[in-house]
Amino acid sequence: MKYTPGFLLIAAVLAPCAAHAGKLSFVINGKSFHTNSTYQEQNTNINYTCSSSRPQTLDPLNLPPDCRELSRAVSTTNKKYNENNKGYGLIYEFGKNRNYIPYISVGKFRDSFETDAKYISSGLNKRILLNRKLDDLHLEFGGVISVINSPSYANGNLLVTFMP
């Protein structure tokens, strides 16, 4: 059986969890809120002229020697961020250490620029019990460090983030 690098990464992260008492859960990702609901996308249109007959689409990095730039037009377009960041993942909460819960998670979601992003995260939450009778209703807050891979961020390179 051949394993993909993604499978091996998830297995390496989750394997140590088997030795600890904890809880594995399925996660549904959902909503994000942006302080500014739009961003600007810049578009550049370059026209070339060639002394020999060439196709209309030319690669600017491999321009034939008989071609030169004829004109360039730069425009900007306002686009709306995607605030419905639907996705899924797994979260493993390690055994509870008093009221602090360390966890790791992996998943995939549709990011703000409408591309698929994958992540692996580790964090620590403080849990405050609100009502034991309502199925242990509680409030959690904490911090998480994530490694995200998306074609929309950091030119497709891994991006490390810290968020509350």
Side-chain angles (χ1 to χ4, degrees):
M1 178 178 224
K2 186 175 179 181
Y3 297 104
T4 66
F7 174 83
L8 294 175
L9 177 64
I10 291 170
V13 169
L14 294 179
C17 301
H20 300 288
K23 182 173 80 171
L24 181 65
S25 302
F26 183 74
V27 176
I28 297 174
N29 300 317
K31 189 77 172 159
S32 67
F33 298 97
H34 297 88
T35 55
N36 184 356
S37 64
T38 62
Y39 66 96
Q40 285 192 337
E41 184 176 85
Q42 189 174 27
N43 303 303
T44 304
N45 184 19
I46 304 172
N47 292 314
Y48 297 96
T49 183
C50 302
S51 54
S52 62
S53 178
R54 299 271 179 203
Q56 291 290 78
T57 55
L58 294 171
D59 179 5
L61 299 176
N62 295 316
L63 201 59
D66 67 327
C67 296
R68 64 179 177 81
E69 184 178 315
L70 182 62
S71 65
R72 179 183 295 242
V74 178
S75 63
T76 56
T77 305
N78 284 335
K79 292 196 162 191
K80 290 183 77 65
Y81 286 114
N82 170 31
E83 293 188 339
N84 295 314
N85 302 121
K86 296 175 183 168
Y88 55 89
L90 295 172
I91 185 168
Y92 184 86
E93 293 179 340
F94 292 91
K96 192 173 180 180
N97 179 6
R98 297 188 185 166
N99 289 329
Y100 293 92
I101 299 99
Y103 66 90
I104 58 172
S105 63
V106 294
K108 180 178 176 181
F109 65 96
R110 194 76 170 164
D111 67 23
S112 298
F113 297 99
E114 298 283 355
T115 57
D116 289 336
K118 299 173 191 108
Y119 67 90
I120 183 166
S121 302
S122 180
L124 182 67
N125 284 344
K126 166 83 171 142
R127 182 171 287 174
I128 300 170
L129 184 63
L130 299 175
N131 188 324
R132 194 172 298 279
K133 290 181 183 178
L134 292 176
D135 197 23
D136 289 333
L137 179 66
H138 61 271
L139 174 68
E140 288 186 12
F141 64 93
V144 62
I145 188 164
S146 299
V147 177
I148 302 172
N149 181 255
S150 168
S152 300
Y153 300 115
N155 295 321
N157 296 317
L158 295 178
L159 176 67
V160 179
T161 65
F162 177 78
M163 294 178 279

